[in-house]
Amino acid sequence: MISAKIYPDLPPRQKPLQKAVIAAAMFVVGRAFQSLSHSEPLIRHEVSGWPKGLTLMMKLQPNGSSVALQKQPDGTVKYMGAHFDENKADVVIYFKTIEAAFKMFTAQTGIDVAYAQHCMCARGDLSNTVSVVRALGITECYLFPSIISKHLVKRLPAIPFWRKQGLRLKTYLLGIPFGI
Amino acid sequence: MMLPPYYEFAFPVKIISGHTALNNLPVELRLANVERPLIITDPGVARAGLITVVLDAFAESGITIGALYDQVPPESSTLVVNELAGLYREKACDCLVAVGGGSVIDTAKGINILVSQGGDDVRHYRGAEVLPGPLRPMFVAPTTSGTGSEATNSAVIADPETGVKMLFVSENLIPRAAILDTRMTLTLPPKLTAATGMDALTHAMEACLSIQKNPVSDAFAQQAIRLIGANLRVVTANPQEKNGRLALANASLLAGAAFSNSMVGCVHSMGHATGAVAHVPHGIAMNIFLPFGLAFNLPKREAEIAELLLPLAGAEIYAATPAAQRAQKTIDEVHRLKQDLYEISGLPRTLKEAGVSADQLEHIAKLAINDGSAMMNPTELGLEDALKLAREAFG
């Protein structure tokens, strides 16, 4: 007879490095989005169509890191941190696996392709999803050079060269460190 | 075809197809270990006498129907869903039978969420792939051959308080069985037959172009296109053609299974927006936009569009068309099908013929680019692109 004693429980393994990278990338995306929502016309245009106070959250399932963004009354977006109560968010996009989140947050997969490959699921009102995805795509185009971002979006947004370089500099120097 | 790096395909529906397939419905209930169905339908189906076919099927079956509700509105509503969940519980039902088109089937899916998961407001469960299962057994007898809802994992239910159409997506929403009975679609008038057939054709064709396409959805879609290509003209011209009716019902289901697993694209985005702005029925909008949507995606999906020629037009036309011209020939064949259906049934070919005015095009384009279907389209649908599509389709 097989004894259960020689077959111990196998708790899930940890992937601390990937978790740390994802947490850092979520912070970068959140702060960059907040910063760009003040001055980037394409993102401001997208956000203007969102409902008042819309709170969007992305979270690694089941208990991983998260990022929350909230539309403010002045039409900008505020990064609400990494510990927002998901029950208070209007839309929560969950990453099903740590690998899926890692690929997306390290610019190996675009958001629409990630959704097509079932990397994500979502709770809440999905009627603004396309606009949110477009706005996140624009944010990625500021965070990464065109040689990378052209693989993340179907078509690179038309952004004038100097505006792109200027806002990119602002995002990296002020937006991400200070949220400005 | 290249395999996608990752794909999923879920299709647990038992297909029961035949000229009198509904007679087997009680047996299917017993196999699912249920015995007290809530049957829901809409007033149109009831008026057409189709519900009698369903009630007759239960004769001498030993199964008591818990309740029959025949007032489902043309647009699924959360209020109706919430109330019918109460009826289901009050009458101690244990399964659902939906007899109707997309609205009835989506309503049944909504009821099933509540009676299986608990709660009294279906809005709490909106979202994509977050609904735990399994749900109660659900059986569907479609009365149109277009939506494919009997084979899909989604439901769209409107919230009358906010006017928002809420999306529910989960493989747990897929019905247990789809009963394709010729009698249920025989009374469809020619124009509606043509419109719903073009809706199914659009599901199948867009499924083959989407960024979520996969080999299995392609197989389902191509068979659907083959059945529609061979039967839609015939049945529109002769609505009593039983074998053709059954073929179209099968095509609708196959196309539904295909797009449920690979999604649709810009034709649906444009069609949803046109429906919202100008109240053009969905099937008519699909008919109008389909060839223009194919042409829009041609630069990125030429090989895939070329592959559609064989199932749509048949071996002779396919073989007689040089390989480099097959994609364009597919688009030409869709135009030819539209023209034929216009001549047979008067199905509108352009937005102008459908009653849309030129000053509505910009509004249509603005809504279309934010429609969820645009996300899975292979080509980015920008405002200028959508406006160009609308102008082309205007005629």
Side-chain angles (χ1 to χ4, degrees), chain B residues 150-326:
Chain B
E150 66 276 14
T152 67
N153 62 357
S154 57
V156 178
I157 303 171
D159 178 357
E161 284 178 19
T162 60
V164 173
K165 288 188 176 182
M166 293 186 303
L167 184 63
F168 302 78
V169 183
S170 168
E171 65 186 59
N172 294 312
L173 289 176
I174 303 176
R176 179 185 169 97
I179 301 106
L180 310 179
D181 187 309
T182 315
R183 294 170 291 178
M184 305 308 277
T185 54
L186 269 183
T187 53
L188 275 181
K191 194 192 268 188
L192 197 53
T193 301
T196 50
M198 289 305 285
D199 185 18
L201 182 66
T202 308
H203 290 153
M205 289 193 155
E206 291 212 285
C208 292
L209 309 184
S210 147
I211 63 171
Q212 206 174 46
K213 75 197 257 43
N214 60 72
V216 192
S217 65
D218 275 1
F220 277 68
Q222 294 215 2
Q223 194 57 251
I225 295 168
R226 193 182 311 278
L227 289 168
I228 293 165
N231 291 284
L232 186 55
R233 289 180 180 89
V234 178
V235 176
T236 304
N238 180 12
Q240 295 297 313
E241 217 291 297
K242 283 187 174 182
N243 290 330
R245 281 287 184 200
L246 197 56
L248 291 183
N250 275 269
S252 172
L253 179 142
L254 293 166
F259 90 81
S260 179
N261 288 280
S262 69
M263 300 294 280
V264 283
C266 68
V267 178
H268 272 76
S269 305
M270 298 301 298
H272 292 153
T274 306
V277 173
H279 308 292
V280 174
H282 183 67
I284 292 176
M286 296 297 97
N287 177 62
I288 292 168
F289 280 109
L290 179 56
F292 303 109
L294 293 176
F296 175 62
N297 283 315
L298 194 59
K300 282 205 170 178
R301 287 287 191 256
E302 185 174 355
E304 289 82 358
I305 294 172
E307 277 182 18
L308 304 181
L309 182 61
L310 178 60
L312 179 66
E316 285 188 19
I317 290 177
Y318 180 82
T321 308
Q325 296 169 22
R326 282 176 186 154

Side-chain angles (χ1 to χ4, degrees), chain B residues 60-74:
Chain B
E60 298 295 338
S61 68
I63 290 177
T64 300
I65 295 164
L68 166 64
Y69 180 85
D70 61 4
Q71 295 299 317
V72 175

